[in-house]
Amino acid sequence: MSWWREFASRVECDAPLGTLTWFRVGGRARYMFRPRVEAQLAALVERAKQEGVPIKVLGSGANVLICDDGFDGVVVRLDSDAFTRVEWDGATLSAGAGVDLMPLTRRCSEQGLSGLEGLAGIPGTVGGAIRMNAGGRFGEFGSLVRDVDILASHGAIERRSRDQLGFGYRCSAVGDGIVLSTRIELKQDDPGRVKRSFDECFAYKKASQPLSEHSAGCVFKNPPGQSAGAMIDEAGLKGVRCGGAHVSQRHANFIITDREATASDVLRLIDLVRERVLRRRDIALELELDVWESAGRERA
Ligand code: EPU
């Protein structure tokens, strides 16, 4: 009997992944698993580990590029009630890993709970926002976190404090653990003031980024003290195309995918942009995007 049969009611085989990402490209998952509760997730992680089957969590697909071959393992989606709960205790917010960040940010700001308004318009789930310390010029998620419950790779659920999570520029020390939930500290403030600040941050994003097209946000990290977008722009790469993928005219650190695009088109364009910036500026741009490559090919 196949190892995953005991979870069969929550497992889909050969599940399409591309449509679950903002780029809308990429292959299929060998297995897609939607746990109902934490204990079920822990049990599957243990079995998959015994069988040597790799696991990845897919949030709202806002910052990932999945290769055309898909993922030969288990893709976990935390979209059941147990992982999408939101609770308030005064200005402390508890949220499951599967909670959608954009409505949460808006709702807190409308209630005058200050802290998340700088993340206005930043897509993703709470779990993804913790793993990559989502943010931008107006703030980062990690700075608000009190603690996070993580399913560690050895199977135990651990509560880690902000200091133990090693938040940095678009990174954390979550490693191969799975984020389950978090508690974040907000501050009660004047609702009008918080909402105005939310609106200003969102307006900046709308004015400078191609939000109505298919992209996964910024592709590269900003090198220290510099802007990757400005460098790509100066290299004359706006509009440059590989198949169905092109560099945005509005913000050069965004790659836009057309209906006929493939993940290979995006990867070729990433390589082209890197190569041109390296040649012109002698700077090797690092990916901000999480690329799920076929086994044996990893990029940083
Ligand atoms: N710029 C150009 N040409 C471009 C793009 C930008 O000259 O094509 C210039 C801008 O005029 C500005 C500078 O580069 O002087 C920086 O641009 P911007 O203010 O748009 O900020 P960014 O550093 O490119 C960061 C985050 C974004 C976040 C914004 C706003 C990174 C890699 N990107 O962008 O995050 O939305 O600040 O808070 O840190 C993301 O993470 O996916 C993302 C989009």
Side-chain angles (χ1 to χ4, degrees):
M1 194 169 93
S2 303
W3 67 271
W4 54 272
R5 292 272 174 211
E6 65 192 270
F7 308 95
S9 66
R10 314 291 302 179
V11 172
E12 180 189 346
C13 293
D14 197 30
L17 291 173
T19 48
L20 300 177
T21 72
W22 284 45
F23 269 138
R24 310 230 168 171
V25 300
R28 305 171 87 86
R30 173 169 275 215
Y31 311 104
M32 167 99 57
F33 177 55
R34 295 188 147 92
R36 197 172 47 77
V37 290
E38 288 178 359
Q40 205 176 38
L41 175 62
L44 178 122
V45 167
E46 198 186 334
R47 287 292 284 123
K49 206 171 160 198
Q50 285 164 1
E51 299 293 328
V53 177
I55 298 182
K56 276 187 186 285
V57 180
L58 181 63
S60 58
N63 195 49
V64 289
L65 173 67
I66 295 171
C67 71
D68 295 315
D69 295 342
F71 182 65
D72 190 12
V74 182
V75 172
V76 174
R77 300 218 78 204
L78 302 177
D79 51 9
S80 67
D81 290 351
F83 299 100
T84 52
R85 270 189 214 121
V86 177
E87 283 162 19
W88 277 273
D89 177 8
T92 302
L93 172 71
S94 304
V99 170
D100 194 350
L101 190 59
M102 275 215 273
L104 182 70
T105 306
R106 181 180 287 279
R107 192 166 155 199
C108 290
S109 303
E110 283 169 355
Q111 290 178 9
L113 287 168
S114 171
L116 285 171
E117 61 276 17
L119 275 71
I122 293 186
T125 55
V126 163
I130 289 170
R131 171 169 289 279
M132 65 163 303
N133 191 15
R137 60 164 58 206
F138 308 111
E140 290 178 336
F141 196 83
S143 65
L144 303 163
V145 166
R146 184 207 284 173
D147 54 45
V148 175
D149 286 350
I150 289 179
L151 175 64
S153 54
H154 53 78
I157 295 179
E158 297 172 351
R159 180 158 292 192
R160 296 197 202 151
S161 67
R162 178 170 59 225
D163 290 349
Q164 293 171 310
L165 286 161
F167 289 118
Y169 173 52
R170 295 299 106 72
C171 67
S172 73
V174 170
D176 52 9
I178 296 179
V179 174
L180 299 174
S181 63
T182 184
R183 277 134 304 275
I184 66 174
E185 307 276 11
L186 304 171
K187 283 199 184 77
Q188 191 64 57
D189 200 338
D190 169 46
R193 198 202 63 76
V194 183
K195 185 61 179 27
R196 264 196 307 283
S197 169
F198 173 93
D199 289 341
E200 280 164 23
C201 296
F202 206 176
Y204 180 86
K205 205 170 159 66
K206 281 191 213 155
S208 58
Q209 299 178 5
L211 300 189
S212 60
E213 295 173 282
H214 290 297
S215 80
C218 285
V219 172
F220 300 102
K221 291 182 181 174
N222 287 332
Q226 302 193 69
S227 159
M231 279 179 196
I232 300 166
D233 191 353
E234 281 158 22
L237 294 170
K238 277 185 169 172
V240 165
R241 177 175 281 276
C242 283
H246 70 273
V247 175
S248 166
Q249 292 285 359
R250 181 168 286 194
H251 194 302
N253 201 2
F254 282 61
I255 288 178
I256 309 294
T257 45
D258 304 344
R259 219 165 349 153
E260 69 278 13
T262 63
S264 306
D265 294 339
V266 180
L267 289 170
R268 277 191 295 131
L269 190 53
I270 286 172
D271 288 343
L272 183 153
V273 168
R274 268 181 158 167
E275 197 258 320
R276 296 273 182 90
V277 171
L278 182 65
R279 223 188 310 149
R280 194 182 157 94
R281 299 288 303 271
D282 202 24
I283 288 176
L285 291 176
E286 245 182 77
L287 281 177
E288 201 232 64
L289 187 66
D290 186 9
V291 179
W292 297 13
E293 294 258 39
S294 311
R297 290 191 72 206
E298 295 297 331
R299 15 187 113 213

